[in-house]
Amino acid sequence: YTIPPSVTSIEAGAFADCTNLKSVTIPTSVTSIGKSAFSGCWNLASVTIPTSVTSIGEAAFAGCSNLKSVTIPTSVTSIGARAFGNCRNLPTITIPTSVTSIGEAAFACCSNLQSVTIPSSVTSIGKEAFVDCNLQSVTIHNGVTSIGARAFKACCLASVTIPPSVTSIGEEAFRYCENLQSVTIPPSVTSIGEGAFRYCENLQSVTIPPSVTSIGEGAFEDCRNLQSVTIHNGVTSIGARAFKACRLASVTIPSSVT
């Protein structure tokens, strides 16, 4: 289907559940793609978003389970909540440097998504942004200040580097990342959320920098191969079950802990 060049916006639900829609051409006259505009178009295989579009609405392409290719131009500044949720066949996505926010569950359950790069323009990764993806690698550039709750829960990440711009790691942010072997927590982080790294069964060592004041409940619970933890002076509270079922041979609790 070719949208005529007189159209400036695709309204909410405009093509929702058009299950026979296989391809769509969006003209450069369009500046916004509305909420659920193409949701449930499970036969849609590819889409190119023109450089005129500045925002992709909530659930715009949610449930497009056969979507294998999508191009997001450098004009887009925000990716809405659940925008590409349940796009199960999407193998890769390029987030342009114009994007400043990735919405809640924006790519949730994209089970074939294997790698993603978060550009420095993004300041916040919404909660559940990449939950239940098969992400094997993620690059988070300096600029992101917060990683939302369950943002990378149940991903296949072997390692992750958190940039020095991040100040908070949300609850369950990396829970069930069972392949995670190493993680670097920068000295900018002030709080590690509840269950942030729970069930990261291959995580062997971790250093808590002096910027962190609180380690949340169950933060490293069931990290059954965690053998070494260094907690620097600065932490004031260690939550319930924070290191339950770990393999720690010894631990030194700093004098700052109350």
Side-chain angles (χ1 to χ4, degrees):
Y1 182 75
T2 300
I3 298 171
S6 56
V7 174
T8 57
S9 65
I10 301 172
E11 297 298 323
F15 297 91
D17 298 318
C18 290
T19 56
N20 287 323
L21 187 66
K22 294 182 179 179
S23 67
V24 63
T25 301
I26 302 172
T28 54
S29 54
V30 172
T31 58
S32 63
I33 299 173
K35 179 180 179 180
S36 303
F38 296 94
S39 66
C41 295
W42 54 266
N43 261 317
L44 189 62
S46 68
V47 63
T48 299
I49 300 168
T51 54
S52 53
V53 172
T54 57
S55 64
I56 300 172
E58 180 181 331
F61 296 92
C64 293
S65 55
N66 279 310
L67 191 63
K68 296 179 175 67
S69 172
V70 62
T71 301
I72 302 174
T74 54
S75 55
V76 172
T77 57
S78 64
I79 299 173
R82 305 187 308 283
F84 296 94
N86 284 298
C87 291
R88 295 193 299 271
N89 277 302
L90 193 62
T92 184
I93 191 75
T94 299
I95 299 170
T97 55
S98 54
V99 173
T100 57
S101 64
I102 299 173
E104 178 180 329
F107 298 93
C109 302
C110 291
S111 52
N112 270 314
L113 193 61
Q114 295 186 17
S115 67
V116 69
T117 298
I118 313 293
S120 57
S121 56
V122 173
T123 56
S124 63
I125 302 172
K127 69 178 182 179
E128 299 178 0
F130 297 93
V131 66
D132 290 324
C133 290
N134 270 327
L135 278 180
Q136 296 179 26
S137 71
V138 60
T139 303
I140 306 172
H141 281 292
N142 197 39
V144 174
T145 58
S146 63
I147 299 174
R150 299 175 296 283
F152 296 97
K153 181 181 176 181
C155 289
C156 297
L157 300 172
S159 66
V160 62
T161 299
I162 300 168
S165 54
V166 172
T167 58
S168 65
I169 301 171
E171 64 181 58
E172 300 185 3
F174 296 93
R175 183 176 178 175
Y176 287 121
C177 289
E178 294 180 354
N179 291 328
L180 193 62
Q181 296 179 25
S182 66
V183 62
T184 302
I185 300 173
S188 54
V189 172
T190 58
S191 64
I192 299 173
E194 180 178 336
F197 296 93
R198 190 179 181 190
Y199 288 113
C200 292
E201 293 192 351
N202 277 303
L203 194 61
Q204 296 183 24
S205 67
V206 68
T207 298
I208 313 294
S211 56
V212 172
T213 57
S214 64
I215 301 172
E217 289 188 15
F220 297 92
E221 184 176 359
D222 293 309
C223 292
R224 298 183 186 277
N225 281 304
L226 188 62
Q227 299 177 40
S228 168
V229 61
T230 302
I231 306 172
H232 281 289
N233 203 44
V235 173
T236 59
S237 64
I238 300 173
R241 307 182 316 281
F243 297 96
K244 181 181 177 182
C246 292
R247 294 184 61 192
L248 300 174
S250 66
V251 62
T252 300
I253 300 171
S255 59
S256 54
V257 172
T258 58

